[in-house]
Amino acid sequence: MTLEEFKDFVKTGRPLDTEEIHQFMDRMGGEARKVTFRLNSVYHTPDEIRDILSGLFGKDVPSTLRVFPPFYTDFGKNIEVGENVFINACCHFQDHGGVHIGDECQIGHNVVFATLNHFLEPEKRKMTYSAPIVLGKNVWVGSNTTILQGVTIGDNAVIGAGAVVTSDIPANTVAVGVPAKVVKSILT
């Protein structure tokens, strides 16, 4: 299985339940861990961090990207970041289904992007399926937030610290809580 074949497959939303897919995910996970262990083990300059992340993501990252390690991912090849993005320490990207972060976004400490989920039915529970997470422009995600698969967060939205985002959040709003609910609009 190639990376492009895998990315095309996850877009279908079908279960990730074949031996070929599991072997591919294991291999990619091992490669991602090698890179993140190197990234997280010693100090690196901002340029060195961007170079390491470019290798991890499989494409050049913007020169305006700022990431404070440690940074974790169990795949790495399905992350897109825009210009002037800041990702604080200890964030976890489970990006099999795709994580897309728009320009000017700020991501707080310990944020989890979880693009995989399991089925509820006990007989299917070991199977996973994926869906992308999309952040619009200028989104601020507070520390210790978890964003689940299939969620889109609109431009200029703010997600309060500790939220669990299980459904889409409209642009120009503030959402807080578990599960996250919109509590106010932001005038722009």
Side-chain angles (χ1 to χ4, degrees):
M1 172 165 275
T2 68
L3 178 59
E4 290 310 313
E5 288 171 337
F6 179 80
K7 286 182 177 181
D8 287 343
F9 185 86
V10 297
K11 288 177 186 174
T12 69
R14 295 192 332 242
L16 306 174
D17 63 350
T18 70
E19 187 62 30
E20 181 183 24
I21 289 171
H22 290 163
Q23 288 176 357
F24 179 79
M25 289 170 64
D26 286 345
R27 189 174 82 248
M28 296 302 290
E31 291 176 18
R33 282 188 298 281
K34 286 179 191 175
V35 175
T36 56
F37 288 174
R38 182 167 49 97
L39 172 66
N40 298 332
S41 64
V42 297
Y43 174 79
H44 297 281
T45 67
D47 285 337
E48 290 170 336
I49 292 169
R50 283 187 289 274
D51 286 343
I52 292 169
L53 291 176
S54 291
L56 178 63
F57 295 1
K59 59 187 152 290
D60 289 339
V61 300
S63 62
T64 56
L65 173 64
R66 290 182 31 224
V67 175
F68 287 178
F71 174 87
Y72 304 98
T73 181
D74 55 1
F75 190 67
K77 299 292 191 227
N78 209 356
I79 300 171
E80 301 275 343
V81 293
E83 295 291 334
N84 297 307
V85 169
F86 173 69
I87 301 171
N88 217 324
C90 300
C91 290
H92 296 250
F93 282 61
Q94 183 193 59
D95 62 291
H96 297 82
V99 175
H100 308 278
I101 299 175
D103 296 343
E104 307 289 336
C105 287
Q106 299 178 81
I107 312 300
H109 289 90
N110 294 319
V111 172
V112 174
F113 293 86
T115 68
L116 293 178
N117 205 345
H118 295 266
F119 291 91
L120 289 176
E121 301 87 352
E123 65 278 1
K124 293 169 63 177
R125 195 160 297 150
K126 290 186 180 180
M127 287 191 290
T128 57
Y129 61 94
S130 65
I133 295 170
V134 178
L135 274 60
K137 294 179 180 178
N138 200 33
V139 173
W140 173 20
V141 180
S143 295
N144 297 304
T145 292
T146 298
I147 304 170
L148 299 183
Q149 82 289 340
V151 166
T152 296
I153 300 174
D155 294 350
N156 303 310
V158 176
I159 308 300
V164 176
V165 186
T166 61
S167 59
D168 293 352
I169 303 298
N172 303 307
T173 61
V174 176
V176 300
V178 179
K181 301 284 185 206
V182 173
V183 294
K184 71 162 94 172
S185 292
I186 301 170
L187 300 176
T188 58

